[in-house]
Amino acid sequence: MNSSPAALEAELPAAPHGAASAPESVAWHPAVGAILRREWALALARPVDLLVQGLFFATVASLPALSVAPTAATLALLAPGVLWVAALLSVLMAGGRCFHDDLRSGWLDQWALCGVPLVLLVAARLIMQWFIVAVPVLLLAPLVALQYGLSAQALGVLMLGLLPGIGVLVMLVGVVAALAAGLRQGGVLVIGLVLPLAAPVLVFGSLAVRAAQHGEPAGAHLALLAAMLCAALACCPWLAASAARIGVES
Amino acid sequence: MNLAKYVFWFAAPTRFVPLARRLIMPLRVVALLMGAFGLYLGFGVAPADAMQGEGYRIIYLHVPASWVAMFAYAMMAFWSFIGLVWRTRLSHLLAHALAPTGAIFAALSLVTGALWGQPMWGTWWVWDARLTSSLLLLLLYLGYLALLGSIDDPQRADRACAVMALLGALNLPVMYFSVRWWNTLHQGASVTPRGASMEPVMLTALLLCTLAAWAWAAATVLQRVLILIAEREAHARWLRALQGEELAAVPAHM
């Protein structure tokens, strides 16, 4: 874990001398690769964190069943929404403070100074985080689906939807987390700001699962989730990068 | 360069403050006159609705409130974008000033909607797409205000809130798209670009009320911008000079 930031430091190009020097004079592949490797190394260095995230997802998804009479019909009604809300909360838990420590430790300042466009670095980080957050959720989703009696087809649609859906959520949480980095009540703020923004993902994600439960085609909803992912990938890294820059500069 | 000079003429607070002071009173007068006339037309002259009877008349409050709430968010996102790109501080102040007004109109829209829904649908709240997206709009406003309140450094607050407003604006079309996606309990829009499905007198009253709400919101926003400028530029000599003029002009009140 200690080795990866040091390795990155060695690979990062030196900060340009002039403040306004052209960014294309600096090769960005090594920096982006180093960030991907750092995130991966950090995730592997703390496997307990991944375990806790998976446990959190499974627990949050199990609790609503305790609040109703667990008949098959009720569980089938609850399942899509509950699974998606649990996924949203997992993303929030994993990524809600993701730029906070980086700002505190000066890591973000290094990013801003290294001459590589900040957008690329932020995008690389968020994409890596997408996969790291998605893995525990996708691994445990079949287990929760068993609890709620989801059919194999509905489970397949759920997993297909979760992959782009978690991507959108990670992007949204990334922007808001970059905005709230360094603030005192940042954690609560991130939750409050993200929840309304996450609504469309939850709506279309659970609509897809519901359609699959009734044996209807879910392709349209999945396509919409994928379209939202494309839009999020196109917009959110820019917003997150400018949010990170605001945090660095002030 | 010349074009930028004209576009951003009023971006300087020294020029904006006198303009805003000159605009606030006329906007208030317009709001009161149009509001009074519109409400008179709506509640006194317009006929009762064939289906909904007298109960429909809350439309004259509900629809203007919803429109202003949505329009205010669009303006907030617009000024946030301008402020982020051109670093004009006044744009950020306009966005900050729009947020509370937009939040109040969004809340008003939800409350009048609930009061309308109770007699017509038999329930205060339904999980209809349009209601839900109004609620989400209100939550976006509240989130913006929460972010604004939790950042102490004004420069950072300006730009962070601008990013948040843009993120919300990018998401809003998706939220409103959901209106068409479901079959909903909410009646279809009465006024569309192609025409209106209502009596001319009803439409006139509705438009008058909308203009009144818009003018009132504009006056409130300008007033709030003046207060924000006064807070931030309390040390500035030009502002004190302007305030001094004002105090000298109305000695009777002091």
Side-chain angles (χ1 to χ4, degrees):
Chain A
M1 182 191 149
N2 275 336
S3 67
S4 54
L8 177 59
E9 225 163 75
E11 283 177 60
L12 276 180
H17 297 297
S21 76
E24 54 269 17
S25 64
V26 181
W28 51 269
H29 321 77
V32 169
I35 281 175
L36 292 178
R37 277 198 299 283
R38 172 185 183 249
E39 295 298 314
W40 183 245
L42 283 178
L44 284 190
R46 298 186 219 128
V48 181
D49 283 8
L50 287 181
L51 198 70
V52 169
Q53 277 170 33
L55 210 64
F56 177 77
F57 170 73
T59 316
V60 167
S62 305
L63 282 178
L66 300 179
S67 67
V68 295
T71 60
T74 318
L75 288 179
L77 267 182
L78 275 181
V82 163
L83 280 156
W84 271 96
V85 169
L88 165 65
L89 293 181
S90 307
V91 174
L92 269 173
M93 195 180 98
R97 295 306 262 157
C98 73
F99 288 102
H100 186 70
D101 296 335
D102 292 344
L103 185 68
R104 281 281 162 87
S105 66
W107 186 247
L108 272 182
D109 299 69
Q110 300 284 335
W111 282 21
L113 285 175
C114 75
V116 178
L118 195 54
V119 182
L120 283 176
L121 304 181
V122 169
R125 191 206 179 141
L126 290 179
I127 286 172
M128 202 62 204
Q129 201 178 12
W130 170 19
F131 289 113
I132 290 169
V133 175
V135 165
V137 171
L138 287 180
L139 281 181
L140 282 173
L143 204 65
V144 183
L146 273 182
Q147 290 183 317
Y148 281 88
L150 275 190
S151 65
Q153 196 201 357
L155 175 63
V157 168
L158 173 72
M159 307 273 273
L160 273 180
L162 276 176
L163 200 57
I166 288 179
V168 181
L169 294 177
V170 165
M171 294 290 152
L172 292 174
V173 170
V175 178
V176 176
L179 285 175
L183 299 183
R184 266 165 284 122
Q185 324 84 332
V188 186
L189 197 63
V190 169
I191 295 175
L193 290 175
V194 166
L195 288 184
L197 296 174
V201 177
L202 294 196
V203 163
F204 291 120
S206 33
L207 273 182
V209 179
R210 209 184 306 160
Q213 279 177 324
H214 297 296
E216 295 157 10
H221 304 298
L222 293 179
L224 273 170
L225 279 177
M228 272 150 62
L229 177 64
C230 292
L233 280 174
C235 302
C236 288
W238 295 95
L239 291 173
S242 68
R245 195 176 289 282
I246 294 164
V248 167
E249 283 174 4
S250 51
Chain B
M1 289 306 286
N2 268 335
L3 183 69
K5 188 180 160 193
Y6 292 116
V7 170
F8 294 114
W9 177 257
F10 285 112
T14 39
R15 304 197 187 99
F16 179 83
V17 168
L19 173 78
R21 283 188 179 160
R22 215 167 299 145
L23 281 179
I24 287 172
M25 210 20 129
L27 280 170
R28 290 233 163 99
V29 171
V30 165
L32 285 178
L33 286 180
M34 293 217 169
F37 190 50
L39 288 177
Y40 163 73
L41 275 188
F43 283 82
V45 178
D49 187 73
M51 302 278 289
Q52 304 192 353
E54 302 288 347
Y56 90 96
R57 291 189 197 273
I58 201 167
I59 195 177
Y60 301 115
L61 300 176
H62 177 67
V63 170
S66 312
W67 278 348
V68 170
M70 283 188 267
F71 183 67
Y73 200 92
M75 292 308 294
M76 208 170 89
F78 172 76
W79 287 119
S80 297
F81 179 78
I82 300 280
L84 267 186
V85 174
W86 282 282
R87 302 278 181 111
T88 43
R89 265 187 267 166
L90 191 64
S91 316
H92 292 305
L93 294 185
L94 266 170
H96 297 339
L98 277 158
T101 302
I104 286 171
F105 274 100
L108 203 62
S109 150
L110 283 176
V111 169
T112 51
L115 290 176
W116 194 1
Q118 217 289 325
M120 296 309 154
W121 301 333
T123 171
W124 299 102
W125 177 262
V126 286
W127 285 100
D128 157 273
R130 196 176 282 205
L131 272 75
T132 312
S133 47
S134 302
L135 179 66
L136 292 175
L137 183 65
L138 176 63
L139 291 179
L140 282 182
Y141 276 124
L142 295 182
Y144 181 97
L145 290 171
L147 186 65
L148 180 61
S150 59
I151 305 179
D152 298 327
D153 175 20
Q155 302 253 339
R156 184 176 178 192
D158 283 355
R159 295 168 63 201
C161 286
V163 171
M164 189 61 217
L166 282 183
L167 183 64
L170 290 172
N171 224 10
L172 270 179
V174 185
M175 296 180 186
Y176 282 102
F177 176 70
S178 61
V179 174
R180 296 189 178 183
W181 201 257
W182 290 306
N183 273 332
T184 64
L185 193 55
H186 198 288
Q187 56 187 293
S190 303
V191 184
T192 63
R194 267 165 291 148
S197 65
M198 57 197 320
E199 287 265 325
V201 59
M202 288 184 187
L203 183 64
T204 313
L206 188 57
L207 292 182
L208 281 173
C209 285
T210 304
L211 272 176
W214 181 85
W216 187 262
T220 316
V221 167
L222 288 177
Q223 183 75 57
R224 200 174 285 120
V225 172
L226 289 183
I227 294 171
L228 286 173
I229 290 177
E231 275 176 8
R232 290 219 183 158
E233 313 269 334
H235 58 279
R237 215 179 301 156
W238 65 266
L239 187 65
R240 281 201 223 141
L242 266 177
Q243 284 167 344
E245 271 172 35
E246 195 179 57
L247 293 186
V250 281
H253 288 285
M254 300 315 290

